Amino acid sequence: MHTRSGSGVGGAVITVTGADGSQVDRVPVDGDGRYELNDLRNGKYTLIVTAAGYRPAAGTVAINDVPGAQDFELAGGGLVSGMVRSDGIPVPLAAIVASDVDGHILAQVAADEAGRYRIEGLPDGDTVLTASATGYEPTAEPVGVSALRPSIVDLNLPVQAVVHGVVTAPDGPVVAGATVTAVDGDGRVVATAVTGSDGSYRLTGLPSGDYTVVTSVYEPVAVRVSARAGELSTADVVFGR
């Protein structure tokens, strides 16, 4: 039992009917979207799936001394559409993920070249839309989805932070070809750049936060810098200080 994105749908119920339409069995679906029907006699059965917020689904399975299998893809009647922008400018090809309050992915789409997106088949209920794109900070927005009315949600992606500076040798000249690394508060390398002929470097695509900028052409030197989304922060590195 899964959504169009492949996530399991827990809490659904399978009703089994025989050839004459009478109910043969009724079983719940587990949290991973799995179900199992046991002790069915040989024959053909109709499986009816119901789950809160989703459209009902049905299928047939034939039992003939061999275990049968029947998967279901459930879709809701909800529609969410809108634009992905950054400071009013459309962001093309941004990735949008719709998930439920438990973190299960309901759908994944990409915005078009004009920043427009459209997600169909969402179940009724509270949904979280998350948008991401290279060079921008991710953003998330809650939305209440209903099959009775489409929802319009515009998403704004803040530009990620940029850190730049100049690497200078102990006796004054700039240092070309030096590797500069940004390390976050957890000690993870998040960006790397090499200084140009003028000794300058530029670290891009940084989420907002505090970083340690390190270079080690001579003895390693580290400086601290705070980077904020959409801002250009400066961190010059001078050996010998």
Side-chain angles (χ1 to χ4, degrees):
M1 206 73 52
H2 57 85
T3 64
R4 290 178 178 176
S5 67
S7 296
V9 178
V13 173
I14 305 286
T15 301
V16 185
T17 61
D20 60 356
S22 61
Q23 180 173 318
V24 176
D25 202 354
R26 184 177 181 274
V27 298
V29 176
D30 69 19
D32 294 326
R34 300 180 183 277
Y35 71 94
E36 187 173 294
L37 302 172
N38 297 306
D39 303 324
L40 292 179
R41 297 179 179 179
N42 288 345
K44 183 175 288 187
Y45 298 90
T46 298
L47 309 184
I48 305 165
V49 186
T50 54
Y54 292 88
R55 297 170 182 163
T60 60
V61 61
I63 305 297
N64 185 20
D65 295 326
V66 177
Q70 176 67 55
D71 291 334
F72 292 92
E73 179 181 280
L74 298 186
L79 166 64
V80 178
S81 62
M83 290 282 297
V84 182
R85 299 185 179 94
S86 180
D87 292 331
I89 300 174
V91 178
L93 307 179
I96 299 101
V97 175
S99 57
D100 63 18
V101 293
D102 294 321
H104 298 121
I105 295 176
L106 304 173
Q108 301 178 73
V109 300
D112 63 16
E113 293 286 351
R116 296 184 297 260
Y117 75 91
R118 180 184 178 93
I119 306 176
E120 299 181 28
L122 291 174
D124 288 6
D126 294 330
T127 300
V128 177
L129 299 181
T130 303
S132 60
T134 301
Y136 300 88
E137 293 237 36
T139 190
E141 290 288 342
V143 57
V145 176
S146 171
L148 300 178
R149 62 184 183 281
S151 298
I152 298 176
V153 180
D154 292 333
L155 302 166
N156 182 64
L157 289 177
V159 177
Q160 287 186 316
V162 177
V163 173
H164 74 155
V166 176
V167 177
T168 307
D171 52 355
V174 297
V175 179
T179 298
V180 181
T181 301
V183 180
D184 68 12
D186 295 323
R188 295 173 298 195
V189 174
V190 293
T192 300
V194 176
T195 57
S197 59
D198 59 353
S200 67
Y201 72 90
R202 188 179 180 91
L203 300 167
T204 60
L206 297 173
S208 295
D210 296 326
Y211 296 92
T212 301
V213 176
V214 183
T215 189
S216 56
V217 175
Y218 301 95
E219 290 295 321
V221 175
V223 296
R224 295 283 291 171
V225 61
S226 293
R228 296 295 175 260
E231 297 181 2
L232 181 64
S233 302
T234 301
D236 293 329
V237 180
V238 181
F239 289 100
R241 284 189 178 179

